[in-house]
Amino acid sequence: MFKKDRKRYRRRAGRRDAAYEDEHTRRRTPKKKLPGWVIIPIIGGIVLICFGISKVTGGNDKGTQLNVVEAHRESIKEIYNTSGTVVSEKSKTFYSPVNAPVKKNKAEVGKAVKKGDKLITFDTTNLDRENQTSRLNTLSAKYTNQDAKEQSGRTAKSMKKAKEQENAMISELKTQIKEKTAKIKKLEKQVKASEGESAKTAKEIAGIQKQMTDNLDSQSICQAKKENIERQLDNLEESDQGTEQSKEELVKQAEEATNEISALEREYRTLEQKLKQLGGDGGAGDSNSAASQSLAQAKQELEALKSSLAQAENSRQTSADTGLTAAQLSNMKVSEDLAKLAELSSKELLEKGKKGIKAEFDGIISDVKVLEGGDAVQGGELFTLVSNRDVSVQLEVSAGDFENLVPGEKAVITIGRRTYQGTLESVNKIALANEKGNPVIGAKLRIDDPDDDIYIGVNAKVNITVAEKEDALCLPNEVINTASDGDFVYMIENGTVIKRKVEIGVSSTSMSEIASGIKEGDQVVADMSDDLKEGMKATAVKSEDSSDKGTKQTGGE
């Protein structure tokens, strides 16, 4: 349509020019009459010439030609770039179990080892000698105790008289015990009669106490239910994805739980009052009668008599068997046990020394404290092993970029020439100043697929997927303009350039999602020269869309 308009315009312009030339020709030259057979062909030629010029040049009433691009749909992804340090999540320092020289040491800083590898071998010569000495000490203690027992047997005859005296004392104690037992039975009958009167009250107290325990359990259950409902409500409000109906239902459930807790608390206070009235708060103990006190005293006296009898009988038996006191016999046993324990300890140390130190998991030696040929001290550090399987990347990003770090986000981690998959595990809730004084946020990125090529302590490049959307309505970034009141694009409507406000969603390095403002297939001006103004006349010329499906690379390096 535009080409036809330009042609008509040029034809009219050609006619006006021909008429002008004809008029001036008539003024400049003497009037001459030409034959009709000459005039008619001339006029036809002029018309054809004007028509051709119009066809070649076209009209200029449609304004400037501007390239446009169409809004289309594609997948778009925003990536946040940063870097961090590879660290191990599992580390163990190995200590020496013995005092012995190190015969062999295969632990070297930076060396990769496998679980079960023997890294430290001890020289057990001194440990073997100490074990032999301990065995001899055990035999010495045994023979010393045996000699003491034999000596005590020789004095057994001289203690016969003392034994007769002990027998008389034991007989007296048994008589007193018999009399005290009879008295206790009489007192127990009196106490039983007194206790029968308060049995009913005790049963009521027990019932109320059980109700109070059940009430507290119900309060705990209701409180847990209420807290769970409140957490669900908080999650709905934070995610902003829950319906109003769901929120109202949760609020209603929370109010019901609160009312139930209040009712249980009132019931518990009522039970407390009943328990206090019945004397269940400790007043029941005041009902002990004089018979109960006498019974308790009699039982104590009986226990004292039995204890004296037991001591007398034990003393008699000891004197009859060995002539040694219980303390002496115990001391003999202790001395033998100590000797055996020392022998066992030296034997265990020898066994540990022979076993040496083995790696408990796959990893890398990060530190070595003792050299081959040096002396290892029991409890002293030998080496430190860090895992190269349980690893993560420690990040420090600018405090202004914390919104790009959301736990659970996936990431691509590049370490040297290898690439790994990772998951953002945690983000610190506070920004701290780094060595340059700039506030940074710390985060931990777990490496999901570690292998033997991972190096600890090296730099790792990290690409975190911040946002991703499938089938998004997109435009190239260069056609989107930004003003103080928001983003906009230029479009051509009825031959005139207009501005259209748009809302931007996910953005990549080359494309941006248009959340609102235009629809799929709309044509947007791609020429971004300084001459482009709203209201100017223009003609749309569709340009080839050379933008690729980019990914936004925001950086935190």
Side-chain angles (χ1 to χ4, degrees):
M1 182 181 71
F2 295 136
K3 291 182 178 179
K4 292 180 179 178
D5 291 340
R6 286 198 293 271
K7 290 176 182 177
R8 285 197 294 270
Y9 175 81
R10 289 172 180 173
R11 283 200 296 271
R12 289 196 298 271
R15 293 192 190 103
R16 287 196 300 270
D17 293 342
Y20 179 83
E21 289 292 333
D22 188 62
E23 177 66 22
H24 279 263
T25 302
R26 287 196 298 270
R27 291 176 183 174
R28 287 195 300 268
T29 58
K31 293 182 179 180
K32 234 188 220 187
K33 291 184 179 180
L34 295 175
W37 61 270
V38 175
I39 296 174
I40 292 173
I42 293 173
I43 294 174
I46 293 172
V47 171
L48 290 174
I49 292 171
C50 293
F51 180 76
I53 294 172
S54 176
K55 289 284 288 182
V56 173
T57 61
N60 196 30
D61 59 341
K62 295 303 179 180
T64 306
Q65 293 184 345
L66 297 176
N67 291 328
V68 295
V69 294
E70 283 189 359
H72 61 284
R73 293 190 177 276
E74 64 176 59
S75 298
I76 190 167
K77 182 187 293 185
E78 181 177 346
I79 298 295
Y80 176 70
N81 292 331
T82 186
S83 64
T85 303
V86 181
V87 298
S88 175
E89 292 294 306
K90 184 178 182 180
S91 174
K92 180 174 181 179
T93 299
F94 290 80
Y95 299 90
S96 176
V98 296
N99 291 317
V102 176
K103 189 175 182 179
K104 291 183 180 179
N105 184 359
K106 296 182 179 180
E108 301 175 5
V109 175
K111 180 179 179 180
V113 298
K114 294 292 185 179
K115 180 180 179 179
D117 287 352
K118 192 170 185 178
L119 304 177
I120 298 290
T121 302
F122 295 104
D123 182 350
T124 59
T125 302
N126 293 336
L127 295 175
D128 188 51
R129 185 184 300 112
E130 292 172 359
N131 183 49
Q132 293 293 336
T133 301
S134 297
R135 290 178 60 188
L136 293 175
N137 289 337
T138 302
L139 290 174
S140 175
K142 180 180 178 180
Y143 292 142
T144 299
N145 292 339
Q146 183 177 347
D147 177 69
K149 291 177 181 178
E150 290 176 354
Q151 292 290 342
S152 65
R154 297 171 185 173
T155 61
K157 292 181 180 180
S158 63
M159 300 185 68
K160 184 177 180 181
K161 187 176 180 179
K163 182 179 178 181
E164 293 175 351
Q165 294 176 349
E166 289 175 352
N167 289 336
M169 183 180 65
I170 290 172
S171 179
E172 177 64 21
L173 287 172
K174 287 181 178 180
T175 301
Q176 293 179 10
I177 289 173
K178 185 176 180 180
E179 293 174 353
K180 191 65 67 176
T181 301
K183 182 178 180 181
I184 289 174
K185 288 182 179 180
K186 183 178 179 180
L187 290 172
E188 283 177 341
K189 290 181 180 180
Q190 298 177 4
V191 172
K192 186 175 182 180
S194 176
E195 288 177 347
E197 297 176 359
S198 59
K200 183 178 179 181
T201 302
K203 185 176 181 180
E204 292 180 2
I205 290 174
I208 292 174
Q209 289 174 339
K210 184 178 184 303
Q211 292 180 24
M212 293 173 70
T213 301
D214 294 340
N215 182 285
L216 290 175
D217 292 340
S218 299
Q219 288 189 43
S220 299
I221 293 172
C222 289
Q223 186 65 35
K225 178 181 177 183
K226 178 183 176 183
E227 292 174 355
N228 183 50
I229 294 171
E230 290 174 346
R231 281 194 297 271
Q232 295 181 39
L233 186 59
D234 291 341
N235 292 335
L236 281 177
E237 292 176 350
E238 291 176 359
S239 63
D240 204 23
Q241 293 178 356
T243 63
E244 289 299 321
Q245 184 178 359
S246 299
K247 294 180 180 178
E248 291 176 359
E249 183 64 20
L250 289 173
V251 170
K252 182 179 178 181
Q253 293 177 10
E255 291 175 350
E256 291 175 355
T258 301
N259 294 335
E260 189 174 356
I261 292 171
S262 299
L264 289 169
E265 290 175 346
R266 290 194 296 272
E267 181 184 356
Y268 187 85
R269 289 193 290 272
T270 301
L271 292 172
E272 278 184 328
Q273 291 296 327
K274 290 182 179 180
L275 184 64
K276 187 174 182 180
Q277 292 172 1
L278 292 172
D281 58 344
D286 298 333
S287 62
N288 290 334
S289 62
S292 297
Q293 295 177 0
S294 298
L295 177 61
Q297 182 176 357
K299 287 182 177 180
Q300 290 178 357
E301 292 171 354
L302 178 61
E303 290 300 321
L305 289 171
K306 288 181 177 180
S307 177
S308 298
L309 177 62
Q311 290 177 2
E313 290 177 340
N314 290 336
S315 176
R316 178 183 64 182
Q317 293 171 358
T318 301
S319 299
D321 293 339
T322 64
L324 298 173
T325 65
Q328 287 173 323
L329 290 173
S330 297
N331 186 56
M332 289 180 182
K333 188 176 185 307
V334 169
S335 64
E336 287 188 25
D337 289 343
L338 287 174
K340 291 179 180 179
L341 183 61
E343 181 183 356
L344 179 63
S345 297
S346 62
K347 184 178 180 180
E348 289 178 350
L349 291 175
L350 178 60
E351 291 175 353
K352 290 180 180 179
K354 289 180 177 180
K355 288 181 179 179
I357 304 296
K358 296 180 180 180
E360 296 182 4
F361 52 85
D362 294 353
I364 299 171
I365 304 298
S366 65
D367 187 25
V368 177
K369 294 295 186 182
V370 64
L371 300 177
E372 189 172 298
D375 290 330
V377 180
Q378 187 175 20
E381 291 186 27
L382 296 175
F383 62 89
T384 300
L385 177 64
V386 297
S387 173
N388 60 350
R389 293 292 180 176
D390 189 1
V391 288
S392 63
V393 179
Q394 294 291 344
L395 304 177
E396 282 190 356
V397 304
S398 172
D401 292 338
F402 78 94
E403 72 275 7
N404 293 314
L405 303 179
V406 179
E409 287 180 337
K410 296 299 180 181
V412 176
I413 304 166
T414 302
I415 304 174
R417 298 181 179 179
R418 298 299 300 272
T419 300
Y420 304 89
Q421 300 300 314
T423 303
L424 191 61
E425 201 166 64
S426 63
V427 181
N428 293 348
K429 296 295 185 180
I430 184 173
L432 301 174
N434 60 10
E435 58 185 9
K436 296 181 180 179
N438 300 321
V440 293
I441 292 287
K444 184 171 73 173
L445 184 68
R446 184 182 70 249
I447 299 178
D448 297 330
D449 53 348
D451 56 25
D452 290 337
D453 291 331
I454 286 192
Y455 289 75
I456 306 300
V458 301
N459 185 67
K461 297 179 181 178
V462 176
N463 297 329
I464 301 175
T465 301
V466 176
E468 186 174 6
K469 191 167 185 181
E470 300 289 338
D471 196 33
L473 183 62
C474 297
L475 281 175
N477 290 335
E478 61 266 19
V479 307
I480 302 173
N481 302 274
T482 301
S484 59
D485 59 346
D487 299 313
F488 67 93
V489 296
Y490 286 109
M491 302 178 66
I492 299 176
E493 189 174 283
N494 298 326
T496 303
V497 175
I498 64 170
K499 289 171 64 174
R500 181 74 59 83
K501 287 188 176 182
V502 293
E503 182 181 350
I504 306 300
V506 179
S507 296
S508 72
T509 54
S510 59
M511 306 295 290
S512 290
E513 176 197 4
I514 308 301
S516 64
I518 64 173
K519 62 183 182 298
E520 185 176 0
D522 282 353
Q523 294 183 341
V524 176
V525 176
D527 291 325
M528 292 291 108
S529 66
D530 293 337
D531 297 331
L532 184 63
K533 304 294 182 183
E534 184 179 15
M536 68 183 291
K537 298 294 181 179
T539 302
V541 178
K542 186 175 179 181
S543 63
E544 293 294 331
D545 186 5
S546 61
S547 62
D548 59 352
K549 295 183 179 181
T551 300
K552 183 177 182 181
Q553 306 283 336
T554 57
E557 298 287 351

